[in-house]
RNA sequence: GGUCCCGUAGCCAAGUGGCUAAGGCAAUGGACUGCAACUCCGUGACCGCCGGUUCGAAUCCGGCCGGGACCUCCA
């Protein structure tokens, strides 16, 4: 299985640190608002990464944090006259709801910054002890100049960065590239520390948590490409300062989601929240996985609509197959693999093995849709249909898609039989009434 | 200004040196059908432009045009 490692910019064969286990960490949201569809992209993609590793038999230790202390959280708390904790709780709850709506599992470890304050503080202390960080009036900054290959992840050179850096007149930093580890402040929530009252900068939480939870280097560190620099670069710098590692063997970054070919912008009204997607969550998930994760993806209502239709088609054939067996009480029939199904399965897994090429995997899902529709039109295909359903189940489990189909009740079956009889007897008025009933029940 | 990415049919999108360039949506012709819906079969591409490398390029190199990201809080 190959993964594109953004640390080396190469496709690399995946070799876990511990056999049969994948330790992965994905940078999570800052919880000061409802998540938008751009936030949902890594939530969906890395969920699929985990699902695929699990499909391959790995135990996956998946961790994704909540940044619950930060300027934006504090500002929001002041605006809404709530405590930071209340703001965080509100939006963490909303996050879980939205994540589940788009089909992502929320059963993973989700540490909060506020729960790891002592780890973060001691991490900073150790950086100071090793002289990789310095204190100025209660602030603590990281000394970027001490890291030889700073810029290794984002492919930047320190000289280039200096040219682009803004000149901060009141800077207390030795070097404009140095970043804040601890910020002295009296606005909003603060914690006592050896450096004074204040709160941590953004860049230390992830490394401190990874250190605490995993006790060292992990297999995969993921996140959006826009936080490659400076956030992930700074994580690497800190870890390198403390123990000389890159924290993770494989770095994975997903591309951005744009709206109308432009970056999302709250101020320009170009933003779509997950909670406002109405009921098109599975269509959105399909859309989100239809472009390779490293490429940018463009959202418009029309584009989403075409995937909503595609998903309708997919769940419809699944539903029809399932019900056609259920109506004959044949759901437990022995499945019989066909060469076509085998070919579809192999190509699907090949695509996933090749750096999680979900776009090509979805093509195989679509091929499965077409093939299943073909056998559905033929008679005496129960065994192949059962195999097709099983393959759908596998694909759905890996991609996190849920067709929401369950067994028919005795009443459902009775109405269906009555409808079939009425049609056979050409009692069309009666048939139409029954058809309507079946449609209401979501069976047709 | 610095660093980097992308440009494939009306729309979305795979493919990154070699059979007739996947797949979906839309459109359109046909089949099926009590009417619908669904479904099936068929129909669509001078791969942004110009030049180069090569026996051979959508794929590699150079230039141009167009779009975008990061460098600054932002997933």
């Amino acid at each position: 299985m190959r993964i594109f490692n953004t640390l080396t910019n190469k496709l690399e064969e995946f070799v876990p640190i511990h056999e049969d286990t994948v330790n992965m960490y994905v940078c999570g949201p800052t919880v000061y608002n409802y998540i938008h569809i751009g936030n949902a992209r890594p939530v969906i993609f890395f969920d699929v990464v985990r699902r695929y590793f699990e499909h391959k038999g790995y135990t996956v230790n998946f961790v994704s944090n909540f940044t619950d202390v930060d300027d934006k959280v504090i500002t929001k708390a002041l605006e809404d006259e709530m405590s930071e904790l209340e703001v965080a709780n509100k939006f963490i709850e909303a996050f879980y709801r939205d994540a589940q709506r788009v089909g992502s599992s929320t059963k993973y470890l989700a540490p909060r910054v506020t729960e790891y304050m002592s780890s973060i503080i001691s991490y900073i202390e150790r950086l100071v002890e090793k002289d990789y960080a310095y204190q100025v009036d209660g602030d603590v900054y990281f000394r970027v100049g001490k890291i030889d290959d700073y810029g290794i992840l984002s492919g930047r050179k320190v000289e280039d960065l200096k040219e682009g850096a803004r000149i901060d007149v009141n800077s207390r930093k030795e070097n404009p590239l140095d970043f804040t580890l601890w910020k002295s402040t009296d606005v909003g929530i603060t914690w006592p520390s050896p450096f004074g009252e204040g709160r941590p900068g953004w860049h230390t939480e992830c490394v401190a948590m990874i250190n605490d939870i995993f006790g060292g280097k992990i297999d995969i560190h993921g996140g959006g490409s826009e936080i490659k620099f400076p956030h992930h670069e700074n994580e690497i710098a800190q870890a390198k300062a403390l123990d000389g590692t890159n924290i993770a063997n494989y770095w994975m970054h997903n591309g951005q989601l744009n709206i109308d070919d432009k970056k999302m912008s709250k101020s320009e009204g170009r933003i779509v929240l997950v909670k406002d997607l109405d009921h098109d969550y599975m269509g959105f998930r399909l859309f989100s996985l239809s472009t390779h994760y490293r490429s940018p993806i463009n959202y418009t209502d029309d584009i989403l609509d075409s995937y909503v239709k595609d998903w309708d088609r997919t769940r419809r054939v699944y539903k029809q197959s399932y019900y056609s067996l259920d109506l004959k009480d044949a759901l437990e029939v022995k499945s019989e693999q066909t060469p076509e199904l085998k070919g579809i399965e192999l190509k699907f897994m090949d695509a996933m093995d090749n750096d999680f090429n979900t776009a090509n995997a979805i093509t195989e899902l679509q091929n499965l849709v077409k093939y299943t529709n073909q056998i559905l039109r033929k008679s005496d295909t129960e065994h192949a249909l059962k195999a097709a359903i099983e393959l759908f189940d596998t694909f759905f489990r890996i991609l996190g898609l849920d067709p929401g189909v369950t067994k028919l009740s005795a009443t459902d079956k009775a109405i269906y039989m009555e409808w079939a009889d009425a049609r056979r007897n050409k009692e069309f008025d009666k048939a139409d009434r029954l058809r309507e009933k079946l449609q209401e029940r979501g069976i047709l």
Side-chain angles (χ1 to χ4, degrees):
Chain A
M1 155 167 215
R2 298 188 305 162
I3 292 180
F4 188 87
N5 190 350
T6 42
L7 185 62
T8 56
N9 276 321
K10 281 187 194 127
L11 271 175
E12 295 175 2
E13 188 63 30
F14 178 72
V15 182
I17 295 170
H18 308 286
E19 202 183 348
D20 301 331
T21 300
V22 178
N23 289 331
M24 63 185 290
Y25 181 98
V26 178
C27 287
T30 301
V31 282
Y32 72 107
N33 202 345
Y34 297 100
I35 61 165
H36 59 237
I37 56 178
N39 295 314
R41 193 175 188 198
V43 169
I44 292 170
F45 173 68
F46 288 106
D47 180 63
V48 171
V49 169
R50 174 166 54 138
R51 286 163 180 275
Y52 190 58
F53 275 123
E54 283 172 351
H55 169 80
K56 301 206 49 142
Y58 289 97
T59 299
V60 182
N61 298 314
F62 188 99
V63 178
S64 186
N65 69 306
F66 285 118
T67 301
D68 60 351
V69 195
D70 146 288
D71 285 348
K72 291 189 292 294
V73 176
I74 290 167
T75 305
K76 181 74 178 167
L78 291 171
E79 272 173 19
D80 293 4
E81 294 179 353
M82 294 164 85
S83 69
E84 288 83 355
L85 182 64
E86 286 168 331
V87 169
N89 283 343
K90 175 179 174 180
F91 291 112
I92 285 172
E93 200 181 306
F95 173 87
Y96 280 137
R97 203 180 315 130
D98 287 342
Q100 281 166 3
R101 283 203 264 229
V102 297
S104 291
S105 166
T106 52
K107 288 182 195 146
Y108 56 82
L109 187 62
R112 299 181 181 204
V113 173
T114 50
E115 293 166 347
Y116 280 78
M117 200 51 71
S118 62
S119 303
I120 293 169
I121 290 170
S122 76
Y123 198 98
I124 297 170
E125 273 188 290
R126 280 184 286 156
L127 286 172
V128 173
E129 277 164 28
K130 286 193 139 192
D131 205 33
Y132 278 95
Y134 55 96
Q135 301 181 57
V136 185
D137 301 335
D139 289 349
V140 184
Y141 299 103
F142 187 88
R143 200 167 262 139
V144 167
K146 281 198 80 167
I147 302 294
D148 290 341
D149 55 0
Y150 187 77
I152 185 176
L153 176 70
S154 50
R156 287 152 206 268
K157 297 185 183 112
V158 170
E159 306 86 74
D160 295 339
L161 286 166
K162 278 184 182 161
E163 274 187 54
R166 282 191 176 171
I167 296 159
D168 190 349
V169 191
N170 294 321
S171 181
R172 296 180 258 193
K173 297 174 185 176
E174 293 175 359
N175 175 335
L177 295 182
D178 290 350
F179 55 90
T180 307
L181 301 176
W182 189 264
K183 180 176 176 174
S184 155
T185 179
D186 51 13
V187 180
I189 191 168
T190 58
W191 284 260
S193 82
F195 334 109
E197 191 76 12
R199 60 192 158 81
W202 177 36
H203 304 303
T204 312
E205 57 188 66
C206 297
V207 270
M209 286 171 174
I210 288 171
N211 235 15
D212 238 50
I213 294 166
F214 293 106
K217 203 170 193 182
I218 58 174
D219 293 296
I220 296 172
H221 192 131
S225 58
E226 78 293 331
I227 56 171
K228 214 166 156 182
F229 186 88
H231 185 54
H232 288 164
E233 197 70 71
N234 291 348
E235 286 188 39
I236 288 177
Q238 292 171 90
K240 207 161 261 178
L242 272 199
D243 49 36
T245 75
N246 286 327
I247 327 174
N249 279 337
Y250 303 88
W251 287 77
M252 295 177 74
H253 291 96
N254 63 273
Q256 298 212 198
L257 186 148
N258 299 318
I259 294 184
D260 294 334
D261 277 319
K262 293 202 187 78
K263 188 175 171 173
M264 269 199 245
S265 161
K266 207 172 172 183
S267 55
E268 292 172 46
R270 199 170 49 250
I271 188 163
V272 177
L273 300 178
V274 169
K275 71 186 178 74
D276 296 332
L277 282 175
D278 200 20
H279 289 91
D280 298 334
Y281 298 111
M282 286 296 108
F284 176 76
R285 190 172 176 101
L286 200 59
F287 155 76
S288 179
L289 295 171
S290 67
T291 298
H292 188 94
Y293 76 91
R294 280 187 278 122
S295 301
I297 186 168
N298 185 41
Y299 174 94
T300 67
D301 292 342
D302 286 347
I303 294 171
L304 174 62
D305 196 45
S306 79
Y307 287 98
V308 169
K309 281 179 184 154
D310 193 17
W311 172 243
D312 277 347
R313 203 169 94 89
T314 304
R315 67 181 292 274
R316 193 181 300 126
V317 66
Y318 179 85
K319 189 166 76 168
Q320 284 180 356
S321 309
Y322 190 92
Y323 289 162
S324 83
L325 293 186
D326 197 6
L327 286 162
K328 294 178 210 161
D329 293 316
L331 277 175
E332 303 307 322
V333 76
K334 192 172 174 297
S335 72
E336 190 178 291
Q337 184 73 283
T338 66
E340 289 87 347
L341 289 171
K342 194 70 210 163
I344 289 168
E345 181 175 11
L346 284 176
K347 283 193 205 162
F348 181 97
M349 299 306 167
D350 262 6
M352 293 301 288
D353 275 338
N354 189 16
D355 194 30
F356 304 96
N357 193 329
T358 53
N360 281 344
I362 286 171
T363 293
E364 296 314 315
L365 176 61
Q366 289 162 339
N367 286 338
L368 178 59
V369 168
K370 176 167 275 191
Y371 176 71
T372 306
N373 268 319
Q374 286 166 344
I375 57 177
L376 208 46
R377 305 173 109 233
K378 297 176 187 159
S379 49
D380 299 325
T381 52
E382 283 87 1
H383 302 289
L385 212 48
K386 181 68 190 299
I389 289 171
E390 286 173 356
L391 195 54
F392 269 119
D393 287 338
T394 301
F395 289 180
F396 288 159
R397 198 176 59 246
I398 291 170
L399 297 174
L401 295 165
D402 180 7
V405 174
T406 50
K407 279 190 173 184
L408 295 168
S409 67
T411 317
D412 291 334
K413 286 188 188 179
I415 299 172
Y416 188 95
M417 295 307 177
E418 215 183 324
W419 175 61
D421 280 345
R423 292 183 68 198
R424 209 172 299 124
N425 301 330
K426 299 196 192 299
E427 299 171 65
F428 297 126
D429 283 348
K430 186 180 176 190
D432 286 351
R433 276 201 310 279
L434 291 165
R435 179 169 69 190
E436 209 169 300
K437 244 181 175 173
L438 289 167
Q439 280 168 340
E440 277 167 20
R441 289 169 165 261
I443 293 161
L444 283 184

